Amino acid sequence: MMLELEKIRGLEGGDNWMNWRYKMRDKEADMEATREYHKHNPPEVGDVVVVLHTASHHTMMKPHITKIVAITDRGRIVVDHDHEAWAGKSFWKSGQNCKAPTGQCWLIPAELYRDIPMTHETEQRQLSEKYKAECDDEQLTISEMSKMLGGAKEFVNQINTLILDFKLTKEQAKQHLSRELRSERLLAGKRNQFGKRIDRQMIRNHSRKF
């Protein structure tokens, strides 16, 4: 059964993509599935499709729910879509874009799309809960934290900051600093939803904000 995609929050016409997180998809896997789907269900004018586009190959833009407006004599699928500035209107039955076949824009039938967007706030809360649970499993030793921070002096500075600025006890400060540094081990070097590389200061700012 096909979802009523245009009625799902985050996919509605007026929803701002910057407020939502869209699951990253595998273009090659999508094209294989789309090619197989169209073997048994030839595309027709009026069929609902989803046009996908990534930014720099690591951020999924808002999928555009639209309809096929024409099928050419060569079997190309023609749709009007939001990503035409980067790719043309025509697609092969595999979903590959005709104008930019190796680019970041492709198409799938609506029947194959099952991803539900989430707000950035929900995503951040889920990530925070996940990493907090992982970090709480094992607290780093004072020696490990000092080594990661470049020495005992910086360890003491960070503990004092947490005690003075956030009114934590010494034990709470140690637990919090341990969570930050374990998060650094897990996340440093990866990219956030805006494409920026995560570093120690970014983790510290986020952790201490909340």
Side-chain angles (χ1 to χ4, degrees):
M1 180 178 178
M2 184 177 70
L3 298 176
E4 294 185 87
L5 299 176
E6 68 280 358
K7 295 182 180 180
I8 295 175
R9 290 303 315 278
L11 296 176
E12 295 178 354
D15 291 331
N16 187 336
W17 73 271
M18 295 186 70
N19 297 327
W20 297 85
R21 171 68 169 169
Y22 304 97
K23 181 181 178 181
M24 180 59 69
R25 297 184 64 93
D26 185 318
K27 178 184 175 182
E28 295 302 321
D30 274 347
M31 288 197 301
E32 182 177 345
T34 298
R35 185 183 296 108
E36 186 64 23
Y37 178 87
H38 281 148
K39 283 182 182 178
H40 305 286
N41 304 276
E44 297 180 359
V45 172
D47 285 354
V48 180
V49 294
V50 183
V51 180
L52 303 163
H53 193 279
T54 64
S56 303
H57 298 284
H58 59 72
T59 299
M60 181 63 68
M61 306 294 286
K62 179 183 177 181
H64 185 185
I65 316 303
T66 186
K67 293 183 178 181
I68 297 175
V69 297
I71 304 291
T72 71
D73 293 339
R74 298 181 64 186
R76 295 182 179 184
I77 300 168
V78 182
V79 299
D80 296 319
H81 61 94
D82 291 341
H83 310 297
E84 293 175 17
W86 297 274
K89 296 183 178 184
S90 298
F91 298 81
W92 298 112
K93 289 181 181 178
S94 64
Q96 186 176 36
N97 187 262
C98 298
K99 180 180 179 182
T102 60
Q104 302 176 66
C105 181
W106 68 101
L107 170 152
I108 63 173
E111 287 81 359
L112 299 183
Y113 193 85
R114 291 290 183 272
D115 299 337
I116 305 299
M118 68 173 67
T119 63
H120 287 306
E121 290 79 8
T122 299
E123 180 194 32
Q124 289 302 315
R125 184 175 68 252
Q126 290 181 357
L127 286 175
S128 294
E129 291 171 354
K130 173 186 175 183
Y131 291 124
K132 183 178 185 301
E134 292 176 349
C135 291
D136 283 345
D137 287 341
E138 180 183 348
Q139 183 172 326
L140 297 176
T141 65
I142 292 176
S143 176
E144 289 173 320
M145 290 189 280
S146 296
K147 184 175 181 180
M148 288 185 69
L149 292 168
K153 182 177 180 179
E154 182 59 21
F155 169 77
V156 173
N157 286 340
Q158 291 302 318
I159 292 295
N160 287 337
T161 296
L162 289 167
I163 292 173
L164 295 173
D165 292 355
F166 299 93
K167 311 304 180 185
L168 302 182
T169 66
K170 185 175 181 180
E171 188 58 34
Q172 288 172 335
K174 286 164 58 179
Q175 291 173 353
H176 186 89
L177 186 58
S178 175
R179 284 197 296 269
E180 286 184 357
L181 292 174
R182 284 179 62 83
S183 292
E184 183 179 327
R185 284 181 174 178
L186 292 167
L187 299 173
K190 296 181 180 179
R191 294 184 183 273
N192 65 12
Q193 67 268 32
F194 303 110
K196 295 182 179 179
R197 289 201 178 276
I198 299 173
D199 57 21
R200 172 178 292 169
Q201 193 59 50
M202 192 180 296
I203 293 170
R204 184 175 293 173
N205 290 345
H206 177 79
S207 174
R208 298 184 187 186
K209 177 180 178 182
F210 296 100

